[in-house]
Amino acid sequence: MMKIINTYKQLLSSQPEPDSAVVSLPLSGLLFRPWTMLADSFRGLLGLVLIYGALLSIVALLGGFAYVCRFNALFAIDFYCQGAIPLYLLNLVLQLFLITCFGMSWCALLKTEPFSFLGVFRHWRSILANMLRLFAVLLSVFIPVFSFMMLQVRVPDPNWKVEVTFFAIVSLGFFAPFIAMRLLALVGRGFFLGQAVSVEQIWRRNKGNMLKILFSLSFILLVAVAFFNSIYFNLQELSAGQISVLGIPLEIIHNIFMLIFFTLFLNHCLVQYDYLYDGETNDR
């Protein structure tokens, strides 16, 4: 017993490993660097968003899931639209693939590497891994929605112990986005093809930065929501015929700006990775 107690005391008094030391992320860097990174390489970014925006538009238009199709809920538009779930899932996978390739092309641009589709596809294992990382981030955003829906539709159980247990387990889903935010450096590392780091290491080093990360991401999200909502509500003022005519250019414009805001999100992930691991993405 004394041996166990002594071992426990040694663990408490031991210094943390250098790789697990807590890093305080600067709020100014989290808030402004994603935007300055975009501005500093805007000319190269413009070329990428035009290329990948066109590819995303082709996939959406051919699949029947163009941006204007969402207006079918308001009035019938004369445009090719699909509603089949298998085709919709296939469209999502293809778009996630192209967005991942775009993100890796952007990181290559930050490293001043010449743009090359073959250069991106050469890292096909990293493409698949980054697709899974983005899917995990999306899933963490929707888990609270699922938790809320489960709480809404559930019929209360007369046994209070069962009810409390169910509520406690389902409510854990509301913490998923906050857990994901502390691990976004993994997304930055994956897209930047940086050195491998463990989840546990990032979790420890990022301790105490939650409010700064939340504030930075909320700023990007609020700008994106305001921008896309303004487009959507302004388009509602048009007739069905006018929206149908604008279907193709609207799709291209929507995808271009979607990629720009994705770039800001990815830049945030890169900045986290940069500060936590003494930076590969840019000068401080």
Side-chain angles (χ1 to χ4, degrees):
M1 178 64 70
M2 289 301 297
K3 184 177 180 180
I4 295 175
I5 293 174
N6 290 333
T7 303
Y8 178 68
K9 288 181 178 179
Q10 289 177 3
L11 288 173
L12 289 179
S13 60
S14 61
Q15 297 295 323
E17 297 179 4
D19 286 342
S20 299
V22 176
V23 177
S24 178
L25 304 181
L27 177 59
S28 60
L30 288 175
L31 189 59
F32 297 114
R33 277 190 62 189
W35 300 83
T36 58
M37 289 168 65
L38 184 148
D40 291 343
S41 302
F42 186 75
R43 181 178 296 181
L45 174 66
L46 186 59
L48 290 179
V49 297
L50 289 176
I51 294 171
Y52 283 98
L55 292 175
L56 285 168
S57 300
I58 291 171
V59 169
L61 292 169
L62 292 179
F65 299 98
Y67 174 77
V68 295
C69 290
R70 65 193 66 188
F71 290 96
N72 272 324
L74 301 176
F75 36 67
I77 61 171
D78 184 19
F79 206 83
Y80 174 62
C81 297
Q82 281 283 352
I85 294 179
L87 287 177
Y88 180 72
L89 294 176
L90 177 61
N91 178 75
L92 285 180
V93 172
L94 290 175
Q95 295 217 350
L96 187 62
F97 170 77
L98 288 173
I99 291 171
T100 302
C101 291
F102 165 79
M104 295 180 67
S105 298
W106 167 245
C107 289
L109 177 67
L110 293 177
K111 292 188 283 189
T112 66
E113 295 177 2
F115 172 72
S116 169
F117 279 115
L118 294 178
V120 173
F121 295 146
R122 186 170 64 247
H123 303 287
W124 62 270
R125 289 188 179 87
S126 295
I127 293 176
L128 295 178
N130 287 330
M131 287 178 67
L132 290 175
R133 291 185 181 98
L134 289 182
F135 177 76
V137 172
L138 290 173
L139 188 62
S140 72
V141 174
F142 286 104
I143 284 177
V145 179
F146 298 145
S147 295
F148 179 76
M149 292 173 62
M150 290 179 67
L151 292 174
Q152 284 284 92
V153 301
R154 174 173 170 78
V155 178
D157 195 291
N159 189 334
W160 68 269
K161 293 182 180 179
V162 175
E163 191 64 22
V164 169
T165 302
F166 175 84
F167 181 82
I169 294 174
V170 173
S171 296
L172 291 176
F174 292 105
F175 294 96
F178 300 99
I179 295 173
M181 281 191 289
R182 276 185 62 174
L183 298 174
L184 287 179
L186 279 173
V187 178
R189 185 215 67 81
F191 276 85
F192 202 72
L193 302 179
Q195 297 181 355
V197 289
S198 68
V199 174
E200 181 184 5
Q201 217 180 81
I202 289 179
W203 183 262
R204 290 181 179 179
R205 290 176 76 88
N206 220 354
K207 183 179 179 181
N209 294 312
M210 179 61 70
L211 287 178
K212 301 174 187 176
I213 294 171
L214 181 61
F215 186 73
S216 173
L217 284 174
S218 297
F219 181 65
I220 296 173
L221 179 62
L222 286 174
V223 174
V225 170
F227 177 82
F228 287 114
N229 276 348
S230 66
I231 292 178
Y232 181 77
F233 289 120
N234 285 325
L235 287 174
Q236 288 185 4
E237 303 297 324
L238 301 179
S239 66
Q242 289 173 316
I243 291 178
S244 301
V245 171
L246 295 173
I248 293 177
L250 278 176
E251 182 65 30
I252 296 173
I253 292 171
H254 172 265
N255 286 321
I256 285 175
F257 280 98
M258 184 269 294
L259 289 175
I260 289 175
F261 283 108
F262 172 75
T263 303
L264 289 169
F265 165 75
L266 182 56
N267 286 352
H268 172 89
C269 301
L270 292 168
V271 168
Q272 278 200 45
Y273 174 58
D274 192 6
Y275 283 128
L276 291 177
Y277 289 94
D278 200 20
E280 292 178 285
T281 61
N282 204 348
D283 295 332
R284 294 194 179 192

